Amino acid sequence: MGPRPRGNDEPGAVALTAIDLSRLMTWLSPSFPVGGYSYSHGLEWEIGSGKIRDAAALAGWIADVLRHGAGRSDLVFLAESWRAVAGGDARALTEVAELAAAFAPSAERRLETLAQGAAFLLAIRAVWPSPALDLLGGSAPEVAYPVAVGASAAAHALPLVAAAQAFCQAFSANLVSAGVRLIPLGQTDGLRVLAQLEPLIPGIVAGALAAGLDDVGGVAVAADIASMRHETQYTRLFRS
């Protein structure tokens, strides 16, 4: 048996239908009830320490997280979850879910991904139920957010490439929103940061989809340390 197709060579690269696009926009909208607005991914500590003071610094920090941190690794988890559900492989899905839950570098980052994953699945099962999600188990313990999104996308035959792109864009937008509130920045500066990140996202997505679980790793050490220090930050608006 040859290697599995990846990236633009696999079934998940098919074109979006209008309904697919609408569903992805709904699932990864800021209004979807996962509580994403309450997490800063350690950014609150970075800003509080004075290391990020303007739009340029915010854009650089987020770009590094996308390239070298949870941005890339979460996309790998999402893709492997999608492939496991699309292939009906419960064992592979369990392996991805366990690794994704263990991969969080701090207590708050673990809370961030597991709480959002649980909330996402709760909403999906209530409104868009699918027997394919039974591969996650009835109670779906410790399902990280990218695993929940990848599994749900496959369960509803949403293309992998589009789902990964939408997830990465939503992750970036949530960090920009946190920065706008914390620095603070004006809305226009926030949009400028998103515009700077736009060209990076397709390449990051393509690289992650061409990878596998053996390639998961990160070197966004400052972001990981920030999430640990945030746990004892005196004044906090965010949960991570």
Side-chain angles (χ1 to χ4, degrees), residues 53 99-100 189:
R53 300 181 180 181
L99 182 59
D189 273 341

Side-chain angles (χ1 to χ4, degrees), residues 66-211:
L66 292 178
R67 290 190 185 104
H68 310 299
R72 177 184 178 277
S73 58
D74 278 0
L75 288 172
V76 176
F77 294 137
L78 185 153
E80 290 299 306
S81 301
W82 190 98
R83 294 178 181 120
V85 171
D89 192 337
R91 182 176 179 179
L93 184 59
T94 297
E95 180 183 359
V96 179
E98 289 177 349
L99 182 59
F103 204 71
S106 69
E108 287 191 353
R109 286 273 292 280
R110 180 178 172 85
L111 169 67
E112 178 181 313
T113 192
L114 297 186
Q116 289 188 89
F120 185 87
L121 280 177
L122 184 66
I124 295 298
R125 282 175 159 154
V127 183
W128 295 274
S130 170
L133 290 176
D134 292 344
L135 288 174
L136 284 168
S139 58
E142 297 195 337
V143 175
Y145 188 32
V147 174
V149 174
S152 298
H156 290 274
L158 300 180
L160 171 56
V161 175
Q165 175 85 17
F167 182 87
C168 191
Q169 177 67 32
F171 176 69
S172 303
N174 192 66
L175 291 180
V176 170
S177 176
V180 166
R181 285 174 280 166
L182 287 166
I183 290 175
L185 294 177
Q187 294 293 334
T188 301
D189 273 341
L191 291 175
R192 289 191 179 104
V193 173
L194 281 173
Q196 290 179 53
L197 296 172
E198 278 180 1
L200 300 178
I201 292 176
I204 292 167
V205 169
L209 297 193

